Amino acid sequence: MTDLMPLLPEVEAFLKGPLSLRIGGGTVDTDGTIEVIDPSFGSPLCNVAGAGAREVDLAVTAARAAYEGPWSAMTPDERSQCIWRLAELVDERAGIFGQLDALDNGKPFAVARDVDAAYSARHLRYFAGWPSKIEGATIPVSVPDRFNYTRIEPVGVCGLIAPWNYPLLMAVWKIAPALAAGNAIVMKPAEQTPLSALYLADLALEAGFPEGVLNVIPGIGTEAGAALAAHPGVGKIGFTGSTATGRRIVEASMGNLKKVSLELGGKAANILFADADLEKAVPGAFWALFGNNGQSCTAGARLYVQRPVFEQVLEGLVALASQVSVGPGMAETAHDLGPVISERQMRTVTGYIDSGVSEGAECVAGGGRLGDTGYFVAPTILTGVTDDMRVAREEIFGPVLCVLPFDDEAEVIGRANDTEYGLAAGLWTQDVTRARTLAERLKAGTIWINCWGETDAASPFGGMKQSGYGREMGADAIALYSQTKSVWVV
């Protein structure tokens, strides 16, 4: 039996407290509840209130009242101070957030605390600087005796829908710029991982945000998410999740033609040339996929290795896979990877492995479920993969790496771009000219060269093709949550 770390008193109290909707500064109970499962053990963790259309409407009304009242009345500096204080509280309570995400997501506690919570605080601090820097322009129009200027204004009420793979961090990616732009928020976390978002809503009140500025409503996507996307009182939807759900959100948004930004699926190509520094490239390519257990839209799922070093690279990848430790997120002794999010996802991932093998791929590491408790999948490496196999074309969202050989640059660019997705891509080479050329020709929103997964709150992030549209982070994110007004003066 794996030894587990004890729950922090604050976490224990939170789980015993009212796990209700956070609307208008208070808690709201509902008739329906959502059972939250601990994926490390496949057992019930707690029940949270589940929002439906009625509760979505209550939350939008509360957000509208806050936006039109105290939040808009605050100065840019006062809004900045609120966001900064929230960042400080996230840092102070990083251990609490770490345990909450380790419990309902399953990721290792140290990762949830030292990466997800820490980067969430950094993200909030970056956007805390923005409220006093959002400015319009004076325009030298060609109409005589007229003065024209622009105002950059908030959208109003933003509906934000976060995924389960980074419960806190992905929520903050959206919350921070939306707040900095002056909006009020209705946040729907993934039904599998609602705990850290609920706790964040409590901290927002502690940080001094007016009641109703940040409302959090756990709920099933087809109910609460659909109602939020269609609500006429919402001016902007920000969504991270599957491409199929993204399409439904676009359809639901058409009623009032609200703004929509989408960060959707991916099947990233990671290209390793023979001249790469293999001491860095092999572990870099390994963790490009296996980081966060492969449950990332930017996972480097298709690793193209130039033929002269293919066998050497494959040998190194298999050796790394054999050294990875897998275990519960709350294990006293830290593991490299936790479980996948649910039994359904576990069956999906293992089904893809079986599909690849049945189509002719060879499993050289891993290959299926680990143990019979919890939703653990062994880190799996497939070779003998061809570009037309399902494992090479469809997003698996789990710890499965496909390794494919290639011969030359022209060939691999075509193969890398032959996908409906375009969220991220990367390459490993010491040839500067090649790196620059591929950065231009690869069709993806983010290109990593001799690294993988780096993000920063100041640098835009988003996809092309069916990986979505809009850019989170940086100045582009402020634009997502703002609208421009043109003013003419005689």
Side-chain angles (χ1 to χ4, degrees), residues 76-87 121-133 176-177 179-180 478:
D77 181 67
E78 289 170 333
R79 291 199 297 273
S80 289
Q81 292 299 321
C82 286
I83 300 171
W84 188 272
R85 283 195 294 269
L86 184 57
R122 286 171 57 177
H123 203 79
L124 286 161
R125 285 195 189 91
Y126 170 82
F127 281 102
W130 266 100
S132 61
K133 300 169 186 64
L179 291 174
I478 295 296

Side-chain angles (χ1 to χ4, degrees), residues 1-285:
M1 180 68 179
T2 302
D3 291 331
L4 302 179
M5 66 178 65
L7 291 180
L8 294 169
E10 298 90 341
V11 171
E12 196 166 8
F14 179 77
L15 293 176
K16 291 179 179 178
L19 296 177
S20 310
L21 310 182
R22 270 46 173 184
I23 296 177
T27 58
V28 174
D29 289 318
T30 64
D31 294 333
T33 60
I34 299 170
E35 185 178 58
V36 179
I37 301 297
D38 180 345
S40 293
F41 298 96
S43 56
L45 176 64
C46 60
N47 290 318
V48 302
R54 183 184 74 87
E55 291 77 24
V56 168
D57 190 59
L58 288 174
V60 172
T61 299
R64 175 63 58 182
Y67 169 71
E68 295 179 348
W71 187 231
S72 292
M74 294 174 72
T75 67
D77 181 67
E78 289 170 333
R79 291 199 297 273
S80 289
Q81 292 299 321
C82 286
I83 300 171
W84 188 272
R85 283 195 294 269
L86 184 57
E88 295 293 285
L89 289 172
V90 170
D91 254 345
E92 290 173 12
R93 318 286 173 83
I96 297 173
F97 281 113
Q99 287 201 348
L100 291 175
D101 277 0
L103 286 167
D104 64 8
N105 172 276
K107 66 175 59 189
F109 164 73
V111 173
R113 179 193 61 192
D114 300 337
V115 178
D116 291 20
Y119 276 73
S120 294
R122 286 171 57 177
H123 203 79
L124 286 161
R125 285 195 189 91
Y126 170 82
F127 281 102
W130 266 100
S132 61
K133 300 169 186 64
I134 300 172
E135 54 189 26
T138 59
I139 301 173
V141 294
S142 298
V143 182
D145 303 319
R146 297 294 185 270
F147 174 62
N148 180 245
Y149 67 94
T150 59
R151 288 175 48 84
I152 310 301
E153 299 182 350
V155 174
V157 175
C158 295
L160 308 179
I161 303 175
W164 47 256
N165 54 335
Y166 295 90
L168 175 64
L169 185 58
M170 294 293 98
V172 169
W173 271 23
K174 292 171 171 48
I175 287 169
L179 291 174
N183 300 283
I185 294 168
V186 178
M187 161 62 70
K188 193 203 87 64
E191 57 263 31
Q192 299 91 339
T193 55
L195 298 180
S196 55
L198 288 171
Y199 189 69
L200 186 69
D202 294 345
L203 290 195
L205 296 175
E206 190 175 334
F209 285 89
E211 295 179 350
V213 171
L214 177 57
N215 306 276
V216 175
I217 53 165
I220 303 299
T222 53
E223 298 172 7
L228 188 60
H231 199 288
V234 173
K236 164 75 170 66
I237 289 288
F239 171 76
T240 296
S242 72
T243 298
T245 303
R247 294 192 187 100
R248 291 195 291 270
I249 285 174
V250 171
E251 293 172 358
S253 73
M254 293 171 63
N256 66 335
L257 296 177
K258 56 175 64 69
K259 292 182 71 173
V260 176
S261 59
L262 304 170
E263 195 258 280
L264 306 176
K267 191 71 176 178
N270 194 6
I271 305 168
L272 197 158
F273 286 92
D275 71 336
D277 179 348
L278 296 187
E279 288 190 8
K280 295 180 180 178
V282 172

Side-chain angles (χ1 to χ4, degrees), residues 190-404:
E191 57 263 31
Q192 299 91 339
T193 55
L195 298 180
S196 55
L198 288 171
Y199 189 69
L200 186 69
D202 294 345
L203 290 195
L205 296 175
E206 190 175 334
F209 285 89
E211 295 179 350
V213 171
L214 177 57
N215 306 276
V216 175
I217 53 165
I220 303 299
T222 53
E223 298 172 7
L228 188 60
H231 199 288
V234 173
K236 164 75 170 66
I237 289 288
F239 171 76
T240 296
S242 72
T243 298
T245 303
R247 294 192 187 100
R248 291 195 291 270
I249 285 174
V250 171
E251 293 172 358
S253 73
M254 293 171 63
N256 66 335
L257 296 177
K258 56 175 64 69
K259 292 182 71 173
V260 176
S261 59
L262 304 170
E263 195 258 280
L264 306 176
K267 191 71 176 178
N270 194 6
I271 305 168
L272 197 158
F273 286 92
D275 71 336
D277 179 348
L278 296 187
E279 288 190 8
K280 295 180 180 178
V282 172
F286 181 87
W287 289 109
L289 181 283
F290 291 107
N292 208 50
N293 219 6
Q295 297 178 125
S296 173
C297 296
T298 59
R302 294 180 293 148
L303 177 60
Y304 291 97
V305 181
Q306 201 161 24
R307 208 172 294 275
V309 295
F310 184 85
E311 294 300 331
Q312 181 182 353
V313 169
L314 185 62
E315 182 180 342
L317 295 170
V318 172
L320 287 170
S322 69
Q323 298 164 17
V324 169
S325 65
V326 182
M330 289 286 286
E332 189 71 58
T333 301
H335 294 282
D336 298 312
L337 302 178
V340 297
I341 189 64
S342 65
E343 181 178 7
R344 177 182 178 182
Q345 186 65 17
M346 179 183 70
R347 294 186 185 282
T348 296
V349 173
T350 55
Y352 271 111
I353 297 170
D354 294 341
S355 169
V357 172
S358 69
E359 290 186 79
E362 179 186 359
C363 184
V364 293
R369 184 179 184 180
L370 283 175
D372 55 8
T373 301
Y375 310 132
F376 297 96
V377 178
T380 297
I381 298 174
L382 298 178
T383 188
V385 177
T386 58
D387 292 325
D388 59 343
M389 291 182 181
R390 287 183 62 215
V391 289
R393 302 203 65 81
E394 299 178 14
E395 185 176 37
I396 299 175
F397 224 68
V400 181
L401 175 63
C402 296
V403 188
L404 307 92

